[in-house]
Amino acid sequence: MGVPGGAGAGRAADHIQACAGGSLAGVDLRLITAHELHLFFSPTRDELQWAADRTDSDEHLPALLLTLKSYQRMGCFPKVEDIPEAVAEFVRRAVELPEGTLPVYRAAKTMKNHRGLVRQRVGVASTRAGPGGSPRSRSARRPRRRTGRRT
């Protein structure tokens, strides 16, 4: 499997396949070794503090960390439910959360917010494309029409 930013002729194809639809198609994390778990999914103290400062529940902390670590590893955002239990459990234990704490997004808005936080942390712009294929920021969008009477 190619790693974003790494060497290898198949890197781009692997990256596109891994990120298709936000899932892990083509990336089998079930076969990840203990060494790879520690290497790619162990949050640093700085990452843990960053995530703790931006979350308000035990379930959101591992969800944000898994989103961050997955993005750092694969360059895309897999769905939390697509991340193998062993990887989620490894992160839960690494941050010393109670047994049975699951990474959960109860609202799509929280997941979207976390993805934005991760993009900001790693220094990348949103991948949403506007007209002509160029990314547009929220401020570059057309203003919404106001409803109601003007005075």
Side-chain angles (χ1 to χ4, degrees):
M1 167 179 118
V3 178
R11 181 180 75 233
D14 289 344
H15 174 71
I16 291 167
Q17 185 179 13
C19 295
S23 70
L24 295 175
V27 179
D28 194 352
L29 287 178
R30 292 172 297 171
L31 302 177
I32 195 165
T33 66
H35 174 73
E36 290 170 326
L37 272 174
H38 286 280
L39 184 64
F40 298 118
F41 289 96
S42 289
T44 64
R45 287 182 187 165
D46 184 52
E47 290 168 340
L48 176 56
Q49 186 62 53
W50 170 82
D53 289 346
R54 286 157 181 81
T55 55
D56 58 2
S57 73
D58 283 352
E59 293 82 13
H60 288 163
L61 179 59
L64 178 55
L65 287 169
L66 285 165
T67 299
L68 172 67
K69 301 311 279 184
S70 295
Y71 192 85
Q72 289 172 337
R73 172 71 174 113
M74 298 178 297
C76 64
F77 297 108
K79 295 176 185 174
V80 172
E81 59 269 15
D82 289 343
I83 296 173
E85 188 177 330
V87 175
E89 181 64 15
F90 174 80
V91 171
R92 182 203 59 80
R93 285 191 318 265
V95 298
E96 300 178 355
L97 288 171
E99 191 170 330
T101 304
L102 301 173
V104 174
Y105 287 123
R106 287 183 174 75
K109 182 178 176 183
T110 304
M111 179 183 63
K112 186 176 180 179
N113 179 43
H114 282 188
R115 288 179 178 185
L117 290 169
V118 168
R119 284 187 189 101
Q120 186 178 36
R121 180 166 175 89
V122 299
V124 296
S126 175
T127 56
R128 287 190 193 173
S134 63
R136 292 194 307 180
S137 69
R138 184 169 292 218
S139 61
R141 295 181 190 153
R142 276 187 259 145
R144 292 183 180 165
R145 291 185 182 208
R146 296 181 184 193
T147 57
R149 288 192 237 167
R150 291 185 182 179
T151 56

